[in-house]
Amino acid sequence: MDASLAGFVGGGLGLVIGAVAVAASRLSERTLTTIPPSAPPPLPAGVSDVLAVLRSIAIVLDSSDAVVNNSASAVSYGLVRHGELVHTELRQLARQVRRDGEIREVELELARGFGTTTNTLMKARVAPLGAPHILILAEDHTHARRVEEVRRDFVANVSHELKTPVGGIALLAEAVLDARDDPEAVSRFAARIQVESTRLTRLVKEIVDLSRLQVADTLHEPELVEIPRVVAEAVDRVRVAAEARQITLEAAVDQRASVFGDAELLATAVANLVSNAVNYSETGTRVAVAARRVGDTVEVTVSDQGQGIPATEQSRIFERFYRVDAARSRATGGTGLGLAIVKHVCATHGGDVSVWSEEGHGSTFTMRLPAASDRAAADSDRPAVGTAQGEQAR
């Protein structure tokens, strides 16, 4: 074979081998692209069922921090959005647990929702769930923290409020001892001791009443309460103080107005409103108490002709120990708890209380309570079958 023929045959073989190599390479690439990616390992059996019945917020992450399962509350609280964990703090905790396998418990203050300034106190527990997954359990402790803050404020306020009359009584008693040879001074100091002791008694009573209302979530055995009787009793409690200041008390009530609840608590609430109206009204003015039924609601209003309440103060007057005019409250024996008790009594009865006031034009407080239906009221007045039979047997 001559050299030219050999070269030609060698070149042809090279071309064939190159074509085969290219074809094999393309076939390999096509085969690789058609192989489906490995699916992530499934969750352990029963995990989804357990997460569905948990009261806690539950989130399960895979090895890439993607959410593979979560409870509905995780979305409503803004922890999960579009299948992703929203908060970086939780993601970092998950990575730490994945790295060392140790369970972690933390309290985090997290933003609730997108673009909101409302924060939620979350107590989170992060633990490994099998080899590739991480479980996050979270509970909302915001309400518990607020309750604890209210409790601390209440204790601090009570301590401060009790300190004033107790300290005053101690100083006045010392003054009486020093002035024992001066009958006029002793009489004057004794009168002041009586005023402070009366204030202390009232403060302790209102603290006990308010604490009892806060502990009780619902009324025990509510009874049919006729609002005209409640108004009459409340007005009677304040009548002496009103007459001493020449303030006229006027009452106009709808005899059909009745509710289910506690008559004593309702009388206390109305009496607190009337007492405030008398204490903050000028001599010779009028305080009006009205009760009427409006549809399914009973409204009790107390109106005075006093100085009124500044608009900036009206949102706070139902807070415990809050006083618009602290100096006048001390002069009248006010404790700052009367309106807080009214608010809690209304809430316990399923109602609310509101105020309208304008400086120089007096104030009107309105209690709104669910009315007792006519049929329910009639049934409550009707004797039981056993009782009626017993009466007939006699």
Side-chain angles (χ1 to χ4, degrees), residues 54-92:
L54 284 178
R55 297 184 62 182
S56 302
I57 302 168
I59 305 170
V60 179
L61 305 178
D62 63 11
S63 57
S64 63
D65 291 337
V67 177
V68 296
N69 201 332
N70 64 268
S71 59
S73 54
V75 177
S76 63
Y77 273 91
L79 302 185
V80 173
R81 187 182 303 115
H82 304 308
E84 296 291 336
L85 197 61
V86 173
H87 298 91
T88 305
E89 299 93 333
L90 291 176
R91 190 178 300 108
Q92 291 175 348

Side-chain angles (χ1 to χ4, degrees), residues 67 113 125 331 364:
V67 177
R125 181 180 176 89
T364 297

Side-chain angles (χ1 to χ4, degrees), residues 4 25 40 45-46 101 158 166 197 218 231 251 258 279 289:
S4 61
S25 175
V158 167
V166 170
S197 63
T218 57
V231 171
S258 59
N279 289 335
V289 186

